[in-house]
Amino acid sequence: MKKFNIRKVLDGLTAASSSSSANAQPGTPRENDVVQETLQSEHFQLCKTVRHGFPYQPSSMAFDPVQKILAIGTQAGALRLFGRAGVECYCQHESNAAVIQLQFLINEGALVSALADDSIHLWNLRQKIPAILHSLKFNRERITYCHLPFQSKWLYIGTERGNIHIVNVESFTLSGYVIMWNKAIELSTKTHPGPVVHISDNPMDEGKLLIGFESGIVVLWDLKCKKADYRYNYDEAIHSVAWHHEGKQFVCSHSDGTLTTWNVRTPAKPAQIITPHGKQPKDGKKPEPCKPILKVEYKTTRAGDPFMVLSGGLSYDTVGRRACLTVMHGKSTAVLEMDYPIVDFLTLCETPYPNDFQEPYAVVVLLEKDLVVIDLGQIGYPIFESPYPLTIHESPVTCCEYFADCPAEVIPALYSVGCRQKRQGYSKKEWPISGGNWGQGTQTYPEIIITGHADGSIKFWDASALMLQVLYKLKTAKVFERARGKEEKPNTDIVDEDPFAIQTLSWCPESRMLCVAGVSAHVIVYRFSKQEITTEVVQLLEVRMQSEFSDVDSPDPGGEQTPTLPTPGASSSPQESELPTQPSTGSNSSDGPRDNIPCLQMRSSPLKQSPGYQVELVIQLVWVSGEPPQQITSLAINSSYGLVVFGNSNGLAVVDYLQKTLLFHMGTSELYSPSDPFQRQPRSPRKAKPSGAICDSNDGSNASEDRCRSPTSGKSWRELPNVSFSFEMSLSYRLPFDNSFTRSRSSSVTSIDRESREAISSFYYCESFPRKTDSLVSPCLLVGTTHGSVMMVALNLPPAGDQRLQQPVGIASCGTLVKLKGGILTMSLLDATGTLLPPSFEQWYDPNASDEEKEKGRKRRPASPPSSQESQDTHFAILCSEKQAKVVALPSQTRIYKHSITETSFVLRADVVQMAGANCIACFCANGHIMTLSLPSLRPLLDVNYLPLTDMRIARTFCFSNLGQALYLTSPTEIQRITYSQETCDNLQEMLSELFTPVETPEAPNRGFFKGLFGGGAQSLDREDLFGETAAGKASRSLAQHIPGPGNMEGMKGAASGVVGDLARARIALDERGQKLGELEERTAAMMASAESFSKHAHDVRAWHLFERLYNFFSFSAYHINPDSHFFPTLLPSDDAEIQR
């Protein structure tokens, strides 16, 4: 039983008293008078920017063949729109109901969405952030199917009751014209036909509507006569219907895996019945039933056989077979297997007109977790290479880091090695979804996102300019042996699934050094090289870590270990609540307790390492006396010092990756006492031991030690991966919902051990004053724990060059710097002017290059200049925990500022970031608040209730970066990027891409002379006369409720914004004006020719009229004039004079 120590209580009261007095009088602010803080509240504003990744749980899809824009709806009511590479858009329905169907107003910049809550919405896509213009909510009937004919403003809506209603998409009002189910079917039918599953008009006659009911009845409805022309009956349920472009035939897919082809004028029986995947019996009987064909599309070509594309229909004996898409072209049938179940598919065609040859060229297949586009124009039907970042979830994301304003040369370097990893065999054609235009933003600083995954892979993404593109993929599992089956799986694993999963990572962009930690208590150090190498034996360092817990049960009488227990100031943290215990899973085997055995087996064969990140060193924690190693909770690498430090609930270890040695290991409790443990020599100053040697860094052992619970328990990685490292203990204690994680093989943990066990939560390399008496800066390490303690560790580095590779690095603990409430999340360092002092780094050089090139590249960043004012503090340590933030002056170690971030919640993620030329602390709390604090005064600048913590995924992946950028994993497949910068919010409209671009609608197909003469072409229909209020009357008000939006269709057409859109519209308008001027000129010339001809004919008529008058005049005069005589011509001049007179 834990003993009571009154002295610790008194120490806690003293600490609380000093804390309260410091709040009343915040230290000596004279050190901060020189710091001019420029950040103000007006510099901050929070808003979402873009969402990347595959739409989570997709449910529907639509395509605009003229604008070439793809829309995908999800079960959560989200809309994702895709155009060319880099053109993406996200919008959300307020009701969050599933999107059951989408319909584009083709080339109109509008989209109609139908939701599972029986509402339809009209979206305006002519603005960069789409908005709803109109909504219509049905009250009495459930929507099952929608159909919007090309270039029509009347939307057909089928319902669960079998009725069809008609909506005017301009005003979003219901027409009085209704097709009732009892009028559509035969009077003799005694049963209800079921919901409407299909609506389409005859391609050649818009007045004929084809209606498919679920029961198997298809009706061809005459809209003008308001009656059924033909009824087609089949015994099996219908899933979809597709027309032949000539309007004489249509194809139905059924629930028994059959396709029936019907002639329009022969409703008695199908013209053809086929079962694409059914086995044909030899005796001529009906084929065995197959799985339902969920969708079929029938597309014709002008020069060859038609295409018939269908999903489903496989035979029932294909158990375990993956979902397939079948392409039937002529006599050939191709079955294309998909990695995931098919949600929907669309065939992309050259023309939007349904009454013309379709000329299909691609099929877009929407899967549950992927989007595939198949090229129909090449042999073998290869797929197109997707330009979208849809592979974020290829393996579940387990950790995420965001680096804004990183060195400019890093992205080209990663791309150059990543382009060699691309798969081969893609279609050579360009990506067919090519609509929209890029944004015109001016922010072009490099941004990189790094994601760690459950399969041990790490992906580097280029996130510049609100886009996302994968640069490079690293597979960390290649250095280990893989178990081929469950029987070969080693019993030393501490997780049941995904033993290579990435838990945390540390990356230095300047030196390109990378260090990753996995859930199997392993650490891998990588260097970046542009040359390929083959490593015969991977350097391995096995570390034995175990803490002594004698001080927990019996406190040290000398009081040296007093700070190991939480003070009353920290006891308010909810991390003292009890966790559910887990049964121990085999700490002993038949051969005795496992000891000195790593969790993963190293690769025995030579490792070929391609250009990119190459293994420098592998560090593995081993089993100790039957107890598995604790998972690593924090990690940091420094290229300038050549050191890697990592920690867990047993303590911390410092490894020299240049000498491949373990320099130092100590339990967390021992860090509090600088006098005794740290006077001794480092535990392992020697060179690297042979592979498999054990670096025993603690002589003591405790066989009864109980492991701190692994942050993974319950479900598998693939449902919800591991929680993040620095706050894992806090999250597992506090969140009210069930933690869905992989169950680990760990011992149960009692509440006393959980309260007392202190894990390392964060590290920070710096060059500062490790001790109060120091007057010159030196390399040191800040260590933060889950109990809120911050300790200083001094580092003594040998001179650079050969001495650095031969002499050991000196390490000494300098004791506790300060104590905060809650676990430490982030630490940083400022100089006296408020400038951020980042950890020193070494510039990148290629480790496989020549010695001369190495020396040219190896330039260490200059250290901070020595302080000339010994009596004045010149550094400020910025410390942030789950509850509060403090600023401590160095070397005096006096607290300058303190701020309580939250009392009722706790901080999940905190980062010191640069923004608008200054620095601040950005925090994300579990109650959803995002806050920023100025530095060094910790003045609140922003506090917005943004996103309550409803999912551990958000807590695990939320991260801030410089220049007001942040991101988190909003779903297992999507990354949401946000900004807290006012400048970015102001420029967001220019930075976003445009979906709608002015494009001429293709010309309608030519009817031909004979079709026009004999009426064989497409028959148009004046739907306004049929469905308008004058002819059809008003619909019942109780049927649906109209919710008006900000504008109608006329306003929508003039609402397009953006410089690119304006220029394109101006160019098209100029072309149209030139074309009209040319037509006017031609018409003017024709009118002039016609006028000239008319003038000539008028002159001839007048001359003949004059001749007739003169002839009559002289015929009745005294003189008889013969017109044929020579006298007649002499009279003509006098006649002209008469005319003039």
Side-chain angles (χ1 to χ4, degrees):
M1 181 177 178
K2 181 181 176 181
K3 296 183 180 181
F4 183 77
N5 192 335
I6 186 64
R7 195 165 59 81
K8 295 183 179 182
V9 177
L10 295 177
D11 290 345
L13 293 175
T14 304
S17 174
S18 62
S19 175
S20 61
S21 63
N23 282 332
Q25 297 178 357
T28 56
R30 63 181 180 85
E31 290 87 351
N32 299 283
D33 292 342
V34 296
V35 179
Q36 300 294 328
E37 295 185 3
T38 58
L39 284 179
Q40 303 297 328
S41 297
E42 52 266 22
H43 289 104
F44 295 89
Q45 182 182 347
L46 191 67
C47 68
K48 295 181 180 179
T49 52
V50 291
R51 180 173 292 197
H52 302 296
F54 181 78
Y56 184 56
Q57 294 181 338
S59 57
S60 57
M61 179 173 59
F63 182 72
D64 188 327
V66 179
Q67 288 289 321
K68 297 191 181 301
I69 294 292
L70 181 72
I72 297 177
T74 72
Q75 296 182 18
L79 282 180
R80 294 286 302 278
L81 296 114
F82 298 92
R84 66 178 63 187
V87 176
E88 297 182 44
C89 184
Y90 161 79
C91 40
Q92 178 74 41
H93 294 91
E94 291 184 2
S95 65
N96 297 328
V99 181
I100 59 175
Q101 198 171 354
L102 296 171
Q103 288 276 317
F104 271 104
L105 278 69
I106 296 177
N107 205 28
E108 292 292 335
L111 177 71
V112 175
S113 59
L115 307 188
D117 64 352
D118 308 311
S119 62
I120 57 175
H121 307 270
L122 179 65
W123 289 86
N124 174 18
L125 306 183
R126 289 177 177 247
Q127 56 193 47
K128 290 192 171 183
I129 302 178
I132 293 178
L133 295 171
H134 295 284
S135 297
L136 195 64
K137 180 73 167 63
F138 281 75
N139 299 322
R140 297 185 302 187
E141 299 193 50
R142 304 295 308 272
I143 298 175
T144 57
Y145 195 86
C146 298
H147 171 64
L148 180 65
F150 179 48
Q151 294 182 331
S152 170
K153 68 176 183 178
W154 298 97
L155 174 70
Y156 301 103
I157 297 179
T159 67
E160 194 176 32
R161 294 186 180 181
N163 304 324
I164 294 180
H165 302 276
I166 302 170
V167 176
N168 187 326
V169 294
E170 291 183 351
S171 60
F172 246 52
T173 56
L174 276 171
S175 167
Y177 192 110
V178 181
I179 303 176
M180 304 300 292
W181 68 271
N182 53 0
K183 294 183 179 180
I185 65 174
E186 295 182 7
L187 296 176
S188 60
T189 305
K190 298 180 180 180
T191 58
H192 191 277
V196 176
V197 296
H198 178 82
I199 306 172
S200 62
D201 46 354
N202 190 314
M204 287 296 181
D205 190 351
E206 296 176 353
K208 302 298 174 64
L209 197 67
L210 194 68
I211 307 168
F213 296 95
E214 187 181 56
S215 62
I217 300 175
V218 180
V219 176
L220 188 64
W221 182 264
D222 191 322
L223 292 171
K224 292 181 180 179
C225 301
K226 299 183 180 180
K227 67 179 183 66
D229 280 355
Y230 301 103
R231 297 179 178 92
Y232 314 87
N233 294 291
Y234 194 71
D235 296 336
E236 298 294 335
I238 289 178
H239 286 276
S240 68
V241 182
W243 277 102
H244 188 279
H245 83 277
E246 292 180 347
K248 297 178 181 179
Q249 283 185 338
F250 61 88
V251 179
C252 300
S253 68
H254 298 276
S255 58
D256 63 344
T258 59
L259 294 175
T260 57
T261 304
W262 299 81
N263 292 324
V264 171
R265 299 182 181 274
T266 311
K269 64 176 182 178
Q272 186 182 27
I273 301 176
I274 61 172
T275 308
H277 298 285
K279 296 180 180 178
Q280 301 293 336
K282 296 181 180 179
D283 53 4
K285 294 182 180 180
K286 186 178 180 180
E288 295 180 359
C290 296
K291 297 178 182 178
I293 297 178
L294 301 178
K295 186 176 182 180
V296 62
E297 289 197 349
Y298 192 17
K299 304 298 180 183
T300 56
T301 59
R302 196 179 302 272
D305 296 320
F307 282 87
M308 193 174 291
V309 186
L310 55 100
S311 63
L314 297 178
S315 59
Y316 282 101
D317 58 2
T318 56
V319 180
R321 188 173 179 178
R322 293 184 292 182
C324 295
L325 186 81
T326 305
V327 180
M328 302 171 65
H329 183 216
K331 296 182 179 180
S332 66
T333 300
V335 181
L336 310 176
E337 282 194 353
M338 302 293 160
D339 292 333
Y340 306 101
I342 298 175
V343 176
D344 195 5
F345 72 88
L346 293 171
T347 307
L348 308 188
C349 303
E350 297 289 351
T351 176
Y353 294 93
N355 57 357
D356 193 11
F357 287 98
Q358 301 300 291
E359 303 294 344
Y361 59 89
V363 179
V364 181
V365 188
L366 178 62
L367 308 177
E368 283 188 358
K369 294 184 179 181
D370 200 1
L371 182 72
V372 177
V373 182
I374 301 168
D375 186 359
L376 295 179
Q378 293 188 27
I379 299 175
Y381 303 130
I383 64 172
F384 290 87
E385 184 178 7
S386 174
Y388 309 138
L390 302 181
T391 59
I392 294 174
H393 64 288
E394 187 176 19
S395 176
V397 177
T398 56
C399 69
C400 187
E401 293 296 334
Y402 190 9
F403 299 87
D405 199 20
C406 55
E409 65 275 6
V410 174
I411 291 179
L414 290 171
Y415 180 80
S416 64
V417 296
C419 63
R420 307 179 187 182
Q421 299 176 334
K422 290 186 178 181
R423 292 172 49 190
Q424 303 297 324
Y426 289 110
S427 172
K428 298 180 180 179
K429 298 180 182 178
E430 295 184 358
W431 181 253
I433 306 169
S434 56
N437 284 316
W438 294 320
Q440 302 296 312
T442 57
Q443 297 183 1
T444 57
Y445 48 83
E447 300 174 77
I448 290 180
I449 297 173
I450 304 178
T451 55
H453 299 265
D455 63 352
S457 61
I458 294 176
K459 292 182 181 179
F460 291 79
W461 305 82
D462 179 9
S464 308
L466 296 184
M467 297 185 185
L468 193 68
Q469 180 184 8
V470 65
L471 292 172
Y472 174 71
K473 180 179 178 180
L474 172 65
K475 297 180 180 179
T476 64
K478 291 196 302 183
V479 300
F480 302 109
E481 294 286 355
R482 287 182 175 269
R484 298 181 180 178
K486 292 184 179 180
E487 64 279 356
E488 297 183 21
K489 190 173 182 179
N491 57 3
T492 56
D493 289 356
I494 58 175
V495 290
D496 289 338
E497 293 187 18
D498 301 318
F500 309 111
I502 305 300
Q503 180 134 342
T504 178
L505 59 90
S506 175
W507 185 55
C508 178
E510 289 80 10
S511 65
R512 305 180 194 174
M513 290 296 300
L514 175 67
C515 188
V516 299
V519 295
S520 297
H522 62 277
V523 177
I524 309 177
V525 181
Y526 288 92
R527 284 187 184 273
F528 186 85
S529 174
K530 294 183 178 181
Q531 301 180 23
E532 180 179 309
I533 63 171
T534 299
T535 305
E536 296 295 331
V537 179
V538 177
Q539 293 286 342
L540 172 63
L541 186 66
E542 294 183 348
V543 179
R544 181 186 179 96
M545 291 181 68
Q546 183 180 15
S547 290
E548 298 176 355
F549 284 90
S550 59
D551 59 308
V552 174
D553 297 327
S554 178
D556 186 1
E560 294 296 337
Q561 304 299 329
T562 299
T564 57
L565 289 179
T567 64
S571 63
S572 60
S573 173
Q575 63 186 0
E576 299 175 8
S577 59
E578 186 173 354
L579 283 171
T581 60
Q582 302 178 40
S584 177
T585 56
S587 61
N588 294 290
S589 64
S590 59
D591 300 330
R594 287 189 288 269
D595 195 42
N596 297 338
I597 300 175
C599 299
L600 299 175
Q601 184 180 357
M602 289 292 297
R603 180 190 181 111
S604 56
S605 58
L607 177 63
K608 182 180 179 181
Q609 303 193 72
S610 302
Y613 277 100
Q614 300 170 351
V615 179
E616 175 82 1
L617 175 66
V618 177
I619 307 166
Q620 285 191 283
L621 303 187
V622 297
W623 287 64
V624 178
S625 302
E627 286 294 324
Q630 301 296 304
Q631 290 185 344
I632 294 167
T633 57
S634 54
L635 177 72
I637 188 170
N638 187 282
S639 59
S640 179
Y641 305 156
L643 301 180
V644 170
V645 59
F646 56 91
N648 57 15
S649 58
N650 285 342
L652 65 86
V654 181
V655 172
D656 185 341
Y657 66 79
L658 298 178
Q659 298 186 27
K660 311 293 190 299
T661 58
L662 174 69
L663 295 176
F664 167 79
H665 163 264
M666 194 60 66
T668 311
S669 59
E670 298 173 289
L671 291 174
Y672 287 98
S673 178
S675 58
D676 176 45
F678 297 96
Q679 292 296 325
R680 55 192 175 189
Q681 293 295 323
R683 296 292 182 182
S684 178
R686 299 180 302 277
K687 293 274 182 140
K689 297 183 180 182
S691 176
I694 304 298
C695 297
D696 189 353
S697 57
N698 197 331
D699 298 333
S701 64
N702 188 352
S704 61
E705 173 196 352
D706 287 326
R707 291 195 60 220
C708 178
R709 194 185 84 156
S710 164
T712 59
S713 65
K715 300 180 182 178
S716 68
W717 275 93
R718 305 195 179 279
E719 296 182 40
L720 187 58
N722 189 10
V723 69
S724 184
F725 27 91
S726 60
F727 47 85
E728 67 194 19
M729 304 180 74
S730 302
L731 289 180
S732 59
Y733 300 162
R734 305 171 188 181
L735 297 180
F737 47 84
D738 177 58
N739 295 335
S740 301
F741 300 118
T742 306
R743 185 171 301 280
S744 64
R745 300 174 182 169
S746 61
S747 306
S748 61
V749 183
T750 64
S751 60
I752 295 178
D753 287 342
R754 199 177 311 114
E755 176 183 343
S756 59
R757 178 165 289 191
E758 188 172 12
I760 305 298
S761 60
S762 61
F763 296 110
Y764 187 77
Y765 289 100
C766 59
E767 295 185 1
S768 186
F769 306 94
R771 305 171 185 85
K772 288 184 179 181
T773 57
D774 289 342
S775 59
L776 297 177
V777 297
S778 61
C780 53
L781 176 68
L782 286 171
V783 180
T785 72
T786 54
H787 283 188
S789 298
V790 179
M791 280 85 75
M792 271 281 196
V793 176
L795 305 175
N796 184 14
L797 298 172
D802 294 337
Q803 295 184 46
R804 173 63 185 87
L805 300 177
Q806 296 174 359
Q807 299 180 12
V809 177
I811 301 176
S813 173
C814 302
T816 305
L817 176 65
V818 70
K819 186 93 171 181
L820 284 78
K821 290 183 180 180
I824 303 299
L825 298 181
T826 189
M827 300 174 288
S828 192
L829 194 69
L830 302 181
D831 64 7
T833 62
T835 303
L836 186 67
L837 297 176
S840 60
F841 56 84
E842 187 179 54
Q843 290 292 345
W844 175 79
Y845 66 93
D846 197 326
N848 300 319
S850 61
D851 294 338
E852 295 181 359
E853 294 179 357
K854 289 182 182 180
E855 292 301 324
K856 290 180 181 179
R858 299 185 67 169
K859 295 180 181 179
R860 185 186 172 200
R861 185 186 69 84
S864 303
S867 172
S868 60
Q869 300 175 352
E870 298 182 7
S871 61
Q872 185 175 355
D873 292 327
T874 57
H875 284 177
F876 302 116
I878 312 300
L879 313 170
C880 184
S881 73
E882 297 169 322
K883 289 288 186 180
Q884 59 184 193
K886 288 185 179 181
V887 176
V888 178
L890 299 176
S892 67
Q893 299 186 4
T894 57
R895 191 196 67 201
I896 302 301
Y897 287 104
K898 171 184 174 182
H899 177 75
S900 179
I901 299 175
T902 178
E903 293 293 340
T904 59
S905 184
F906 58 98
V907 180
L908 293 169
R909 177 73 184 231
D911 290 290
V912 177
V913 295
Q914 295 178 336
M915 180 176 160
N919 306 302
C920 65
I921 299 179
C923 305
F924 173 56
C925 296
N927 59 8
H929 284 251
I930 291 180
M931 295 174 284
T932 58
L933 306 174
S934 67
L935 289 178
S937 67
L938 301 180
R939 178 169 41 90
L941 298 172
L942 175 71
D943 188 353
V944 177
N945 187 4
Y946 171 69
L947 179 70
L949 180 64
T950 56
D951 200 326
M952 290 287 271
R953 183 185 309 105
I954 300 173
R956 190 188 66 252
T957 57
F958 200 105
C959 51
F960 295 96
S961 189
N962 294 329
L963 306 175
Q965 306 299 324
L967 63 81
Y968 59 94
L969 213 67
T970 185
S971 73
T973 63
E974 295 169 292
I975 288 178
Q976 178 67 58
R977 295 170 66 178
I978 62 174
T979 181
Y980 50 95
S981 165
Q982 177 68 53
E983 181 183 1
T984 304
C985 291
D986 293 341
N987 298 328
L988 187 59
Q989 282 288 338
E990 295 183 4
M991 298 168 64
L992 293 176
S993 55
E994 284 185 307
L995 290 170
F996 179 79
T997 54
V999 179
E1000 286 289 335
T1001 303
E1003 293 185 2
N1006 229 337
R1007 294 179 63 184
F1009 174 75
F1010 290 103
K1011 287 186 178 181
L1013 183 63
F1014 298 106
Q1019 303 296 320
S1020 60
L1021 174 69
D1022 190 350
R1023 295 184 176 92
E1024 186 69 35
D1025 290 343
L1026 282 177
F1027 307 143
E1029 186 175 332
T1030 304
K1034 293 185 178 180
S1036 174
R1037 293 185 179 180
S1038 61
L1039 180 61
Q1041 177 187 0
H1042 175 234
I1043 305 172
N1048 54 16
M1049 283 290 291
E1050 304 306 321
M1052 182 194 67
K1053 291 181 179 179
S1057 61
V1059 177
V1060 176
D1062 293 338
L1063 289 175
R1065 283 187 294 278
R1067 184 174 63 252
I1068 291 179
L1070 188 61
D1071 294 341
E1072 292 177 351
R1073 183 172 179 268
Q1075 183 179 359
K1076 291 179 180 179
L1077 287 175
E1079 294 175 355
L1080 180 62
E1081 184 178 356
E1082 293 177 359
R1083 288 197 297 269
T1084 303
M1087 289 176 63
M1088 291 178 62
S1090 178
E1092 184 178 354
S1093 176
F1094 179 78
S1095 174
K1096 179 180 179 181
H1097 287 297
H1099 179 74
D1100 293 342
V1101 169
R1102 285 190 304 174
W1104 177 254
H1105 182 62
L1106 175 61
F1107 168 76
E1108 188 177 14
R1109 285 179 58 191
L1110 291 176
Y1111 181 80
N1112 293 336
F1113 172 76
F1114 288 109
S1115 296
F1116 292 98
S1117 62
Y1119 302 97
H1120 176 73
I1121 300 175
N1122 183 7
D1124 297 331
S1125 66
H1126 67 279
F1127 181 73
F1128 176 70
T1130 60
L1131 296 178
L1132 291 178
S1134 62
D1135 187 63
D1136 291 338
E1138 182 182 356
I1139 293 175
Q1140 294 175 4
R1141 189 166 59 251

